[in-house]
Amino acid sequence: MPRSLSHGRLWAAIDRLAAQHRLTASGLAKAAGLDPTTFNKSKRVTATGRPRWPNTESLARVLDATGSSLETFLALVANGESPALPQRHVPLIGLAQAGRGGFFDDAGFPAGVGWEEVAFPDFKDEHAYALEVSGDSMEPFYREGDIVVVSPAADVRRGDRVVVKTVADEVMVKVLARKTANRVELKSFNPAYEDRVLKPEEILWMARIIWASQ
């Protein structure tokens, strides 16, 4: 097997990708919507000591969550180095502010004034923006002070972590459990907070979380 594709170098590349995005291996897995233990050291070998490889679906979800290209990841595998990622400034506001008028248009794109800006790896969605988490309603996945990057243009599927704004100007971060023509079921991260069931007409917009700094 070529040295660039060895078991150890592949896992090391995942660790470096996590560090590059200020995440632990567990945080990287969570950001990609995977079980937090997916990339744990204990998961990298079987009970008999045989190497266990990350599957392609996990890698694809990690690249999507971090906005990284396959070429960038392969550079980490082959060389242990990463080409400098292009960065740009994205709008940032606090989650508590997001329910107030003037920050979004009716489609969920950032608008108006009052946004700060933070530098993040460049995302394909030019309308991506960042929200700073407040409170404990999203624990243990997101904690106060974490920053999530939201993509209004990304497709939203069952199981995705989403930001939802209602016509009543309520903004919430939930997991999309189910969506039909008549109802949208949203699951809370923290079991201390209730799940929500809304009618589609009660939702102004819903956007997918594509990246998290933890």
Side-chain angles (χ1 to χ4, degrees):
M1 177 178 295
R3 182 171 178 265
S4 61
L5 294 178
S6 72
H7 176 266
R9 291 177 70 84
L10 189 58
W11 280 112
I14 290 175
D15 289 336
R16 286 193 292 272
L17 183 64
Q20 180 179 301
H21 291 277
R22 299 176 299 206
L23 295 167
T24 62
S26 177
L28 180 65
K30 289 193 293 182
L34 302 168
D35 185 286
T37 66
T38 299
F39 299 142
N40 281 8
K41 301 290 186 183
S42 61
K43 294 293 185 72
R44 303 181 185 190
V45 293
T46 67
T48 59
R50 296 185 62 182
R52 177 181 285 147
W53 295 74
N55 63 47
T56 53
E57 180 183 0
S58 295
L59 290 176
R61 294 180 69 169
V62 162
L63 295 181
D64 183 49
T66 58
S68 301
S69 68
L70 179 60
E71 289 75 16
T72 295
F73 183 75
L74 291 177
L76 288 171
V77 174
N79 305 317
E81 298 176 355
S82 173
L85 286 180
Q87 288 194 333
R88 66 182 174 89
H89 286 77
V90 298
L92 167 71
I93 63 170
L95 187 62
Q97 296 175 276
R100 304 171 191 166
F103 290 106
F104 305 98
D105 64 20
D106 290 344
F109 294 96
V113 297
W115 296 87
E116 297 180 16
E117 288 192 337
V118 291
F120 274 97
D122 198 5
F123 295 98
K124 295 179 181 178
D125 183 359
E126 64 179 9
H127 298 292
Y129 58 86
L131 297 175
E132 184 175 358
V133 173
S134 58
D136 62 353
S137 65
M138 286 160 275
E139 293 184 358
F141 294 95
Y142 306 126
R143 302 183 184 277
E144 186 156 7
D146 287 347
I147 293 174
V148 297
V149 174
V150 180
S151 173
D155 292 334
V156 177
R157 302 178 297 272
R158 183 175 182 175
D160 283 343
R161 298 172 186 180
V162 295
V163 177
V164 177
K165 185 166 186 176
T166 69
V167 295
D169 279 340
E170 182 182 8
V171 174
M172 64 191 84
V173 179
K174 302 283 187 181
V175 175
L176 178 60
R178 189 183 182 200
K179 182 180 180 181
T180 70
N182 301 315
R183 58 192 278 143
V184 177
E185 299 176 14
L186 301 168
K187 184 175 179 58
S188 295
F189 295 97
N190 189 333
Y193 290 78
E194 65 178 355
D195 298 337
R196 298 288 296 274
V197 178
L198 300 172
K199 298 178 180 178
E201 58 266 28
E202 294 180 286
I203 296 175
L204 185 61
W205 51 260
M206 178 164 52
R208 182 159 65 94
I209 293 173
I210 59 172
W211 192 85
S213 171
Q214 297 171 293

